[in-house]
Amino acid sequence: MVCALGAAVCFGTATVLQAIAARSAAATGPSGDVALLWRAVRQWRYLAGLALDGLGFVLQILALRSVPIYAVGAALAASLAVTAVVAARLLKVRLSRVEWAAVAVVCAGLALLGLASGAEGDEGPAWLKWAMLGAAAGVLLLGAVAGRLPERGRALTLGLGAGLGFGVVEVSVRLIDGFSPGELFPDPATYALLLGGGAAFLLLTSALQRGSVTTATAGLVLGETVAPALIGVVWLGDRTRPGLGWLAILGFAVAVAGALALSRFGEAPVQAEESAVTPS
């Protein structure tokens, strides 16, 4: 659980650091995706954000190999709370009382989950690896269909698809037999992880560019928490401590609800004071 919370801190902080670097890059030169990215990657904040993303992914893998998927998924959704708090400090974003309350709700939900979570379950049935590979391909198809929907429905569907893609990654990490090259290459779960992760990033980028950040992030949170949690309980044998199943359900629901209330932080706010974006 410590690894899961550490991953949330890494991802949430990385989002803000990269937002500061992108804002600074946009203010110091001509526009254009390539030029903007080049200026951003030359700043220590952007590089630090990438390093935190990498560390967060490692911690996520460690967590998924140690605790139930439902606990890890809720903790990763809590990265929105981290982004909100860090943005309030570094980007000078003002949080409303409701948003501060949502941060507290997320923390309370995670505390309940930590008390109730048991050990991870078993390896799951062999067919589940192929099912995850098929689900990853389905996420790509969902993205193609979502691109033709009206703006509001498009953002929600793309965000939900991205969440399902990240959910495929969560489940696939549990299904991988080992991490040596000889075990990874022939394992369908490896390709499910790669395809699901790539599809998720593609759909999330499209959702944030072509629709409401709040709507897309709400879909993302639901997709990456609910479906993987159900798979973990039904087919992977994830359980809670004896007699604390109700507490785990309550903690999961509270943490996800708090994350949904912070959906606007799915993409770090850019209402920063000029001092926060001085070129490095």
Side-chain angles (χ1 to χ4, degrees):
M1 197 64 186
V2 171
C3 288
L5 295 175
V9 171
C10 288
F11 290 142
T13 304
T15 298
V16 178
L17 291 177
Q18 290 164 353
I20 293 175
R23 175 82 171 186
S24 178
T28 57
S31 59
D33 292 341
V34 176
L36 181 62
L37 178 61
W38 174 246
R39 290 196 302 275
V41 298
R42 295 168 63 187
Q43 299 186 44
W44 70 266
R45 293 183 185 90
Y46 195 89
L47 295 177
L50 290 178
L52 285 174
D53 280 333
L55 177 59
F57 184 67
V58 172
L59 292 174
Q60 178 185 354
I61 291 176
L62 293 174
L64 287 167
R65 304 288 286 191
S66 304
V67 297
I69 292 177
Y70 63 78
V72 178
L76 294 179
S79 65
L80 292 174
V82 177
T83 298
V85 173
V86 177
R89 172 63 177 168
L90 298 183
L91 287 174
K92 312 301 181 184
V93 175
R94 181 175 297 178
L95 302 185
S96 67
R97 292 182 179 178
V98 172
E99 288 171 332
W100 278 118
V103 172
V105 165
V106 169
C107 294
L110 292 177
L112 295 178
L113 269 177
L115 290 173
S117 296
E120 65 170 354
D122 51 37
E123 297 179 354
W127 60 262
L128 190 56
K129 295 183 178 184
W130 294 101
M132 288 299 100
L133 187 56
V139 169
L140 285 176
L141 292 177
L142 180 62
V145 173
R148 302 180 181 180
L149 296 176
E151 181 176 342
R152 187 169 184 178
R154 181 173 63 234
L156 178 61
T157 305
L158 287 171
L160 181 61
L164 293 174
F166 287 125
V168 169
V169 172
E170 294 174 21
V171 176
S172 297
V173 168
R174 278 281 298 276
L175 295 175
I176 289 175
D177 296 324
F179 291 93
S180 67
E183 292 171 308
L184 285 174
F185 286 121
D187 195 339
T190 301
Y191 303 99
L193 185 154
L194 295 175
L195 182 59
F201 277 114
L202 180 64
L203 267 63
L204 181 58
T205 300
S206 180
L208 295 177
Q209 290 177 344
R210 302 170 61 185
S212 165
V213 169
T214 300
T215 301
T217 304
L220 172 70
V221 170
L222 291 175
E224 72 176 350
T225 55
V226 178
L230 290 175
I231 292 173
V233 171
V234 175
W235 287 298
L236 295 178
D238 288 345
R239 294 293 181 264
T240 64
R241 294 182 181 179
L244 294 182
W246 66 272
L247 188 62
I249 294 174
L250 177 62
F252 181 85
V254 167
V256 172
L260 289 173
L262 296 168
S263 292
R264 77 179 178 101
F265 292 96
E267 185 178 54
V270 294
Q271 295 88 347
E273 292 185 355
E274 290 301 320
S275 61
V277 294
T278 302
S280 59

